[in-house]
Each structure stands twice: as C-alpha cells, then as structure tokens.
Amino acid sequence: MQLSEIKLAISEQTKHPTIICYADSNHYLLGVGDLLGNFYGVRDKTGKQLSLHSIKQAEVLLKQQGIDYAMIEIQTAYDEMIGNSIASHYHYRIEF
C-alpha cells in the first residue's frame, strides 16, 4: 500500500489509519488496520516497508493526505513473553 492509498482505504469505513509502535523502540509503522486486527503497512516507492522515527512524523504524513486521526497500537515484549494476543495490545485514538 502506498501512502496515497490510505484515504481510499479508510473511506470504506472498515479500515482506520494505524500507527504501530513497540515499547522502548524508536521505529514506528504506518498503515491501516481492519476490524479483524489485520495491518496493511505503507511501503515506499521501492516496495520497502516505511519505518518512521516518531508518531509526529506519522501524523505529518497523514495530515498531508487529509487525514486527521489515527489509531495507535502499542506492543511490548511483555505481551509476547506471556502470549497475549493482538486483541490485548493497548490501542487508543488520537486526533490531530
């Protein structure tokens, strides 16, 4: 998925802009999530997964596409260690 495709994807109302971050890391993934918990990441023009250095950087890219909110999903090593499912990851919505 290219960055320019996010707005079209969320217009279906079954997907929402999503930023995934991993606790204690400075890499963030930007894409869309669906109601089943699937994540479709944004790729650059060469097809490589886009990795960002901050939530603010993701916010700027979304604003450039005319999008004013995102779901943040925070994952931690603890979740993986004890076998928590994706549904138990911490999610919240931000408006910008």
Side-chain angles (χ1 to χ4, degrees):
M1 162 180 288
Q2 296 293 314
L3 183 60
S4 60
E5 298 174 298
I6 290 181
K7 192 160 190 170
L8 177 62
I10 65 172
S11 70
E12 300 170 6
Q13 297 181 352
T14 59
K15 295 184 176 75
H16 45 267
T18 301
I19 302 167
I20 294 180
C21 52
Y22 195 78
D24 300 325
S25 176
N26 62 346
H27 297 284
Y28 299 81
L29 300 178
L30 174 62
V32 296
D34 66 17
L35 299 175
L36 300 175
N38 298 312
F39 177 76
Y40 305 93
V42 170
R43 298 187 175 278
D44 65 18
K45 293 179 181 180
T46 67
K48 183 180 174 189
Q49 179 74 46
L50 190 62
S51 177
L52 306 171
H53 297 290
S54 69
I55 290 176
K56 183 66 175 176
Q57 188 179 12
E59 176 185 325
V60 167
L61 291 174
L62 289 171
K63 279 180 160 180
Q64 288 172 352
Q65 300 302 312
I67 300 168
D68 60 358
Y69 77 99
M71 297 300 294
I72 305 291
E73 178 181 318
I74 300 174
Q75 300 178 6
T76 68
Y78 180 76
D79 289 334
E80 187 176 321
M81 181 179 70
I82 64 168
N84 278 347
S85 69
I86 283 180
S88 64
H89 292 164
Y90 183 70
H91 297 83
Y92 64 97
R93 180 182 169 123
I94 60 169
E95 307 276 338
F96 33 81

